[in-house]
Amino acid sequence: MLYNILIYPLELIIEIVFYMFETFTQNNGIAILGVSIAVTLLSLPLYVIAERWQQIERDTQKQFKPRVDRIKKAFKGDEQYMMLSTFYKQNNYHPLYALRSSISLAIQVPFFIAAYNFLSNLEKLNGSSFFFISNLGQSDAMLTIGSVTVNVLPIAMTLINVIASAVYTKGFPLKEKIQLYVIAALFLVLLYDSPAGLVMYWTMNNILSLIKNIYYKTKNPKRSLYFTILAAAIFALVWIINAKQAPFRILLVAICVAIVALIPLLIKFCKWLNKTALTNLQEDKKLCNGLFIFAALVLSLLCGIVSSSSLVASSPQEFSFIDNINNPLTFVKINLYQSFGLFFVWVGAFYVLFSKKAKSLITFFMTVMAVLAVIYTFFLMKDLGNISASLVFDTGIRRNPDLKDVIIDILIIFATGTSLYFLFKFQPKKIVLPLLQIITAVFAVISVINCSKISKSYRELASRYNGEQAFELETAVSLSKKQKNVIVIMLDRAVNSYFPYITKERPDVKKAFEGFTYYPNTISVAPKTLHAAPPLTGGWEYTPDKINKRSNETLVSKHNEALTVLPRIFTEHGMDATMSDMPWANYSWIPDNSIYKNYPAINGINLEGKYTNRWADEHNEKIVPLSKIIKRNMFMFSLLKASPNMTRGLIFDNGNYCGELIRKASIKMFIDRFAVLDYLPEITDCNNEKGAFFFLTNNYTHDDLICQAPDYTPTDNVTDIGNGPFSHEGRTACYHVNAGAFIKLAEFMNYLRAQGIYDNTKIIIVSDHGEGGGIGTVTDYDPEGHLTETINPILLVKDFNSNGEIVTDSSFMSNADVPYLAVKDVIENPVNPFTGNKIEEHDKSTGITVYDSYRFYPEHNKTNEFILDCRIVNVKENMFIPSNYEKLQ
């Protein structure tokens, strides 16, 4: 808790600054120097305050010294103590005030701990050089004397520290000089064997401290420092222009130069603000404190618990049982600590130390930030599409803002600031303070409701969750060499249009899929799993409109029924059935296999995540825990929601959230899924005496990831993206996961051949829907073709005894045809065991209705019915002809 409140906010700032400098310069050494400069500038106001207090303490001690010396000479023991206490009391002085002389050291400690945590654990520094430093991730070892290796940087750091201390303490008492020299020696001991990058950071801090001390001795230190910073900013702009950097980077640096240049005007504006609108706060200390506290609470609660708990409450199961964190409330709690630490503790530290005028300014700007954060979070949050557990939006956010967004944001900020200006001037106590108090109370209620919902969902899930890791590859499914087998593999969100490109790039995949028929003209009734999975697993009786007609039954019961149709049919005809990782089983993110408890012949299992550690060990893959990503990025996600639209792309940063330690997606999440496909041959045996039905859902294709060519395996260190058809386009990551999945399925096909069961096995490979990274078709109301891409699922079918090259069939198909295709030629006169209706080929002559609903979580709908307030389209014959689309709603 203390780490997340006190240290983590500083560490996060350090990480973001490092990331920005490294991104701009592509140099780790410069990034470290940039961090040192940024931290120095950030803490400079605190040092100014500290210096003022220390000077007060020095003057006080100098004034008291003659009287204190006389008392100490005349009295001893208790009498001396009583006399000194009386003397201090008469002069309104407390001995604890002496600690003011150590405040500058106290300021350095949390910054040092934050920098130490970040730079000591930054693997990127290993092997990275900077001028004469060969490896920033190791001790510098620059000098060798015989068999002794000497680290030069820590010694240089100490010398600079001593010089800076000597300049700073000129004319000071010997006691203060000795204190600083001892601290310099202590840092030498502490950092002697530390990584060179960390020592370089602290050395730069000491150089900047020396420069600061020199400036402080000048006649007008503030003006001198300002012009130095301005000159450095202009130099940086000239350098980046000469280096022919991207226009966006030049613009960003130019904005920074402009901000530095406008500092004098900003200071004048703040003085004007204090004189005109904030006099009430300067005269009423209680009002100023109250406004600051509630503004800080609004920001702390909004970014700390309201946004995070709302996200987790929308799908508690998705954030449960991640790595060693079971309860999703843990993520919310950590996020609250981080937000409270930044907005309340650290901003509060500045507030407490500053003067009345500075306090009134901090209060005003914190209130403006709080109100803007509420506006953007609740009223101006754009629809950014689905978000994964790693907090990455599937549609992404443009890094470069639209001019329209910039103009609107400027107007909103100006209007909010102006409105609060007049409210602070005339009615801060009657309007502003109650407004902040009401918002705080509302946020508290929202937080309690969300946390209660999360807790309830977690308790229900915990009663049935079993997430054991399997290091031994035991048989998960048993197929038959003598009887017919049927295998259905659902690759969630696999893209239909990629398959021809995959087989062209990989002839071995094309060879492995001999006997299959490829259906490019395949459509899904919906682009979301919640609506598309029931017809895929249960047939045309479970399309959204048909489900809604049975309005006296709950959605979850109808969904579970759809997932049970095929295994019941097969088991009731003497076959075994294994159902793995069934989508939204019992409307649980982690499939709840209790839906099969009344059917002993049906084996419900979950394989996703079961073999992760084994696979990672075998492939020397260091897993970045998903829990670490969530703990780090949850706060950044909350900041994104509370920020103006023009800055959201910068914060999101293509899913990196300006983070250096963590990639945009958890490699563990992909290994959870990929390992199942990779181990399919090992966990499948062919010793079953009966025929078998095997339904496997796999999510490897659901999220995008740049993978390691040529097999497109997930790794945290991609060195080769291959020469595939999309290796230099924006669809690279989407293509990679699709290709990787089919390469592994090709190995499974070859395994079935080797076992002699390929011919007596029907295999269907299908997806519930497609994804926007495919090759779409433009329609009048879908100018970018996204709808066509998302409703174009993969469909491949291999019938019994089917061989020869892959056949492409342009028949109008749907993934809702899968149940009919699965039972065809296996079960005579098949019927739905729940409704008694025949499972037969569907008549598509009147077209297929598609429901493009954004309500993709169960909670987004009614208890018994889907809310279909969405785009509804009827598509006929060929989904790639725009004129075949008719918009119904």
Side-chain angles (χ1 to χ4, degrees), residues 62-271:
K62 188 176 181 179
Q63 179 185 348
F64 287 172
K65 191 175 187 307
R67 292 285 303 275
V68 169
D69 288 346
R70 284 199 296 271
I71 290 173
K72 288 182 177 180
K73 187 175 182 180
F75 301 97
K76 301 295 181 182
D78 291 343
E79 288 183 339
Q80 183 187 96
Y81 173 77
M82 294 298 295
M83 292 299 294
L84 285 173
S85 297
T86 303
F87 172 72
Y88 289 143
K89 190 173 182 179
Q90 289 172 344
N91 289 274
N92 298 314
Y93 179 83
H94 195 284
L96 287 176
Y97 291 169
L99 295 176
R100 292 183 295 194
S101 63
S102 303
I103 193 170
S104 61
L105 175 61
I107 291 170
Q108 292 182 60
V109 170
F111 283 96
F112 172 76
I113 294 173
Y116 186 90
N117 279 348
F118 175 71
L119 294 173
S120 296
N121 296 294
L122 188 57
E123 294 183 5
K124 192 169 187 177
L125 297 183
N126 287 325
S128 178
S129 61
F130 183 66
F131 288 108
F132 49 82
I133 303 173
S134 59
N135 190 341
L136 290 169
Q138 303 291 331
S139 302
D140 64 84
M142 291 186 190
L143 184 61
T144 302
I145 303 174
S147 60
V148 179
T149 300
V150 180
N151 297 325
V152 176
L153 268 180
I155 297 173
M157 172 197 73
T158 305
L159 290 175
I160 294 169
N161 200 356
V162 169
I163 295 170
S165 300
V167 172
Y168 175 70
T169 59
K170 186 178 181 180
F172 289 3
L174 180 62
K175 180 181 177 182
E176 286 195 42
K177 292 183 178 182
I178 293 175
Q179 183 186 51
L180 292 179
Y181 295 149
V182 169
I183 292 171
L186 179 63
F187 273 103
L188 173 63
V189 175
L190 288 174
L191 298 181
Y192 184 77
D193 290 319
S194 295
L198 177 62
V199 180
M200 189 175 79
Y201 162 81
W202 204 248
T203 303
M204 186 65 184
N205 267 18
N206 292 336
I207 292 173
L208 293 172
S209 180
L210 174 60
I211 295 171
K212 179 190 68 179
N213 292 339
I214 293 172
Y215 272 106
Y216 202 82
K217 300 293 182 180
T218 61
K219 188 175 182 180
N220 197 329
K222 293 180 181 178
R223 178 177 295 178
S224 301
L225 182 61
Y226 166 73
F227 282 112
T228 302
I229 294 173
L230 180 60
I234 294 172
F235 173 80
L237 179 61
V238 172
W239 177 82
I240 200 168
I241 292 174
N242 289 335
K244 297 180 180 179
Q245 293 285 328
F248 176 71
R249 294 181 180 180
I250 295 174
L251 176 63
L252 213 57
V253 175
I255 291 172
C256 292
V257 172
I259 291 172
V260 174
L262 292 172
I263 286 178
L265 288 178
L266 180 62
I267 293 173
K268 288 183 179 180
F269 171 74
C270 289
K271 289 180 179 178

Side-chain angles (χ1 to χ4, degrees), residues 666-683:
S666 168
I667 198 70
K668 177 187 178 299
M669 179 177 70
F670 287 91
I671 295 176
D672 285 346
R673 305 161 178 179
F674 185 81
V676 178
L677 298 177
D678 198 7
Y679 289 140
L680 267 180
E682 284 85 354
I683 61 176

Side-chain angles (χ1 to χ4, degrees), residues 553-566:
E553 302 171 59
T554 62
L555 280 177
V556 64
S557 66
K558 289 176 280 190
H559 184 92
N560 293 341
E561 181 180 302
L563 300 186
T564 314
V565 168
L566 284 177

